[in-house]
Amino acid sequence: VAYNFGIGKPIIAAINGPAAGVGLVLAAFADLRFCVPSAKFTAAHGRFNFPAEFGLSWVLPRIVGLTHANDILLSSRVFTAEEAMAMGFLNRITPVERLMDEVMAYARQFAAIAPGSARETKRQSYRDLHRDAASSVRAAEALLEQMAREPDYKEGVKAWMEKRPPAWVG
């Protein structure tokens, strides 16, 4: 499941129904989560004498905070899309008939983002969970110096100046 962190593009979960057990894990390891109002969630493992599955105990507190994660993980209770939104688990709740249209419209925005920028920003987001602020700043400065020498930086500036969509190289 954690392989999503190695994918250089953003992963969007389009949740159109219940997400239980591994379904909740898959949604949690996505970078962004869009959901229909009727969806229900549960960790479910507690009902079967299992531990929290596949890294859910690592990722969930980082998304919703320890208090909410403990509620979900220790009780294995069912919670609604609205609760998930209030906890910060979801990015958006959208009507079922518009779910995929909204996910695709959101995804199309990434065409304006340089692939290298998306890749490195995603890596930073997850690496920095384990760093102190000073280390994060130093790593970001090194990336800035490196990426400012890449063709996509020049293309991004040129496209912006010419008021046109970029033609990314990488």
Side-chain angles (χ1 to χ4, degrees):
V1 176
Y3 69 85
N4 287 353
F5 295 150
I7 296 173
K9 297 182 184 335
I11 304 296
I12 304 172
I15 306 161
N16 66 354
V22 175
L24 178 61
V25 173
L26 290 171
F29 275 95
D31 301 306
L32 303 157
R33 287 164 289 284
F34 287 55
C35 186
V36 298
S38 58
K40 292 183 179 175
F41 300 86
T42 183
H45 64 276
R47 294 186 203 106
F48 305 107
N49 192 40
F50 286 157
E53 300 137 314
F54 306 108
L56 191 59
S57 61
W58 179 86
V59 72
L60 199 57
R62 287 167 165 79
I63 298 170
V64 300
L66 187 58
T67 303
H68 291 304
N70 279 342
D71 172 32
I72 293 165
L73 295 172
L74 295 173
S75 72
S76 287
R77 72 177 180 84
V78 173
F79 58 103
T80 65
E82 291 72 23
E83 285 181 273
M85 185 73 183
M87 288 182 211
F89 184 72
L90 299 174
N91 295 91
R92 189 176 301 171
I93 295 177
T94 186
V96 66
E97 64 275 3
R98 292 197 339 241
L99 177 64
M100 291 312 297
D101 289 339
E102 288 198 27
V103 167
M104 295 307 292
Y106 189 91
R108 278 190 286 280
Q109 295 178 81
F110 292 118
I113 305 300
S117 177
R119 181 187 62 249
E120 292 305 327
T121 301
K122 181 175 173 173
R123 286 180 183 164
Q124 285 177 287
S125 294
Y126 294 109
R127 281 186 191 144
D128 288 351
L129 290 171
H130 307 290
R131 290 183 178 162
D132 59 86
S135 297
S136 176
V137 169
R138 281 192 300 274
E141 288 172 346
L143 276 170
L144 277 169
E145 288 179 26
Q146 171 194 331
M147 293 175 76
R149 294 188 299 267
E150 294 177 0
D152 276 344
Y153 170 71
K154 292 174 185 73
E155 171 57 19
V157 171
K158 188 175 178 186
W160 180 71
M161 296 291 286
E162 295 172 359
K163 297 182 181 354
R164 63 169 174 80
W168 303 120
V169 178

